[in-house]
Amino acid sequence: MSEEIYILNDNGCFCGLKNRQEVHSKGILHSAVQCWVMNTKGEVLIQRRAATKDKSAGKWDVSFGGHCVATTNNNNILIDNVIKEGKEELGLNIKDSDIIKLGEVRYISQENKNKELLGVFLIKVKDNQNFIFEDGEVSEVMWIKPNILYNNILQKNKEYANRLGAITLLNLYGI
C-alpha cells in the first residue's frame, strides 16, 4: 500500500492528500522536508542512502528528510514531519524547540515528474549524539564541513544527491 502525501497548489498551500505513486507519475506539486543535523564543530551530518531506495540509491544526501504525510500530532505539518523523519531515519528524539527553519526550496526532477516544495530545517546536536538507523533507509552517516560538501556536490555529482538548494540555505543562515 502506497503512502498518502500532502499535495500543494501552485502557491504552495496544502490542498489535501494523494497517493505517492499517483503524485509522482502525474508530476503533482507536493510537500517534503529536509533537515540538516549540525554538531558543535559546525559540521553537518550526511547520510548514505540505502542501495534499495528508488531515488539516489547509494548516494550521500541531506541528514534526513521525506515526504510530508498526515501525522497524529496535528501541530504543524512540516514540523511534525521533521520530528517523524528524524526518529525513523536516525533515531532522534526532536522537540519543536530544537528545529530551526532555514527556508523553502522548489525542486523539480529532470523528468519533470517529482515536483516538491521542500521545507529545509536545521537542528543542532552534541558531538556525542548517537544515531540509530534501523528502518533500512540509511546505510551510514558521516560528518562534513558545509563548504566541502558543497564542492563535493558540484564535483562528484555521481556520489551525491543534488541538494544544492538545501545546502545554499545553510550559507544564507551563516554557516
Side-chain angles (χ1 to χ4, degrees):
M1 183 157 161
S2 182
E3 69 183 341
E4 298 278 310
I5 62 177
Y6 277 101
I7 59 170
L8 307 169
N9 65 21
D10 289 338
N11 296 324
C13 296
F14 292 99
C15 56
L17 292 162
K18 277 202 182 286
N19 177 281
R20 175 184 173 166
Q21 290 174 328
E22 179 184 356
V23 168
H24 283 178
S25 69
K26 294 182 177 177
I28 299 170
L29 181 63
H30 57 283
S31 183
V33 294
Q34 292 181 343
C35 189
W36 295 105
V37 174
M38 179 173 279
N39 64 21
T40 60
K41 299 173 191 169
E43 298 168 320
V44 291
L45 187 77
I46 57 175
Q47 61 150 294
R48 186 180 300 275
R49 293 173 60 85
T52 56
K53 294 296 287 179
D54 58 343
K55 304 286 182 200
S56 301
K59 291 187 176 187
W60 289 104
D61 202 352
V62 66
S63 305
F64 65 87
H67 291 100
C68 288
V69 299
T71 63
T72 56
N73 295 342
N74 293 325
N75 175 22
N76 174 302
I77 293 168
L78 297 176
I79 298 298
D80 287 350
N81 277 276
V82 168
I83 292 168
K84 178 187 80 66
E85 292 291 338
K87 182 70 171 168
E88 287 177 1
E89 292 186 28
L90 297 177
L92 295 171
N93 291 310
I94 304 167
K95 300 181 301 251
D96 295 16
S97 59
D98 297 331
I99 302 169
I100 301 165
K101 185 169 185 180
L102 299 177
E104 294 180 341
V105 175
R106 282 197 185 235
Y107 170 80
I108 300 175
S109 69
Q110 291 178 346
E111 307 88 37
N112 209 29
K113 291 291 185 183
N114 189 20
K115 297 179 182 176
E116 296 178 337
L117 181 58
L118 300 169
V120 182
F121 299 86
L122 171 73
I123 63 167
K124 296 181 179 181
V125 297
K126 296 177 181 169
D127 293 340
N128 61 352
Q129 174 71 50
N130 289 323
F131 301 103
I132 302 167
F133 32 95
E134 296 174 343
D135 71 351
E137 292 189 42
V138 177
S139 62
E140 64 180 306
V141 294
M142 170 176 71
W143 293 105
I144 189 169
K145 290 284 189 184
N147 62 325
I148 294 171
L149 176 58
Y150 184 83
N151 288 332
N152 285 354
I153 292 170
L154 290 174
Q155 297 170 5
K156 302 176 183 179
N157 61 351
K158 292 186 181 195
E159 296 175 40
Y160 291 83
N162 182 0
R163 301 297 181 209
L164 290 175
I167 197 156
T168 300
L169 288 175
L170 281 175
N171 291 336
L172 293 175
Y173 185 73
I175 298 167

